Amino acid sequence: MRLAVYQGPGASGDVPGNLAIIRRVAAHAAAEGASLVVFPELFTTGYNLGSRLRELAEPLPGPSLDAVGATAADAGLAILTGFCERDGARLFNSAVLVGRNGSMRAVHRKCHLYGAMEGELFTPGDALAVVELDRLRVGILICYDVEFPEAVRALALAGAELVAVPTTLMAPHDVVARAMVPVRAAENQVFVAYANRTGSEGALAYIGQSCIVGPDGADFARAG
């Protein structure tokens, strides 16, 4: 599998703007031969929006997922993106994997919520997802999830060969991207794709350092 990870600021609070970024990046990744492109956490909405996320949240399926599915089908590659999911009265910090034919293949709801904002808005997920994509078994985590050794180990024991992680890692926590992600790959003998934002939202400054790491803990690629 040829894998792409997108790093960028996104359009905070602008769902159509973020869907346009996904379309543009997916077309570019497909032209480069990628089979899967991974976007950051809550990418369709933006992350640090507080209670406004209640207004921007959508059910699955919903308009944004339909748009991502159409983009995947047009580009001919799979897309994993962070998504603010509404399920009845509950909100979830979710990541949705859409196959190259546009169909939804897997949803992961963030299990380990980070900070007061997430704890007040979101319900924690209670399950892990592993799905086969182009003969490669892919597990999904979101941001803080990957910092817990048990989460990655559970995916590895379930057969995951690649762990894909949409994230919004902010300063001063660069140790996660720099040290913890390579360790998770090496200790579980899996590939890890870690897609982070750049720029800022309110008081949060995102640090980038998106990476694709091999089972030996060495980088295949790392952004600044």
Side-chain angles (χ1 to χ4, degrees):
M1 173 183 287
R2 190 162 198 185
L3 179 64
V5 166
Y6 174 71
Q7 175 173 296
S12 186
D14 179 2
V15 173
N18 290 315
L19 293 174
I21 294 171
I22 291 174
R23 285 195 298 273
R24 173 176 56 80
V25 172
H28 177 71
E32 294 294 321
S35 298
L36 168 66
V37 57
V38 182
F39 290 87
E41 181 180 10
L42 291 176
F43 189 73
T44 59
T45 55
Y47 175 81
N48 191 32
L49 300 174
S51 61
R52 191 180 173 204
L53 284 169
R54 297 188 187 279
E55 305 167 17
L56 298 174
E58 296 181 23
L60 291 176
S64 290
L65 180 61
D66 290 346
V68 173
T71 293
D74 289 344
L77 85 171
I79 296 171
L80 175 65
T81 186
F83 178 85
C84 189
E85 179 191 356
R86 180 184 301 281
D87 185 357
R90 300 182 300 170
L91 296 188
F92 293 93
N93 182 339
S94 297
V96 182
L97 177 64
V98 176
R100 64 173 73 245
N101 64 353
S103 65
M104 186 168 66
R105 297 292 310 280
V107 178
H108 171 65
R109 293 168 165 176
K110 189 174 185 178
C111 298
H112 303 85
L113 301 180
Y114 179 82
M117 184 274 282
E118 288 193 22
E120 291 169 4
L121 282 176
F122 297 116
T123 299
D126 59 4
L128 297 175
V130 178
V131 63
E132 187 167 316
L133 191 69
D134 289 358
R135 300 185 302 280
L136 188 73
R137 290 184 61 78
V138 180
I140 304 167
L141 296 175
I142 299 172
C143 198
Y144 200 30
D145 286 337
V146 81
E147 298 181 36
F148 293 83
E150 298 84 355
V152 186
R153 178 56 54 88
L155 289 176
L157 290 174
E161 298 163 286
L162 164 68
V163 177
V165 188
T167 189
T168 50
L169 185 67
M170 69 284 291
H173 306 299
D174 65 296
V175 66
V176 177
R178 174 172 46 82
M180 293 179 73
V181 168
V183 167
R184 294 290 171 269
E187 68 190 358
N188 292 288
Q189 293 294 283
V190 295
F191 297 87
V192 178
Y194 189 77
N196 193 27
R197 297 175 69 98
T198 57
S200 62
E201 285 182 304
L204 299 185
Y206 305 116
I207 63 170
Q209 298 189 41
S210 301
C211 55
I212 301 170
V213 181
D216 58 356
D219 290 347
F220 277 86
R222 181 174 294 268

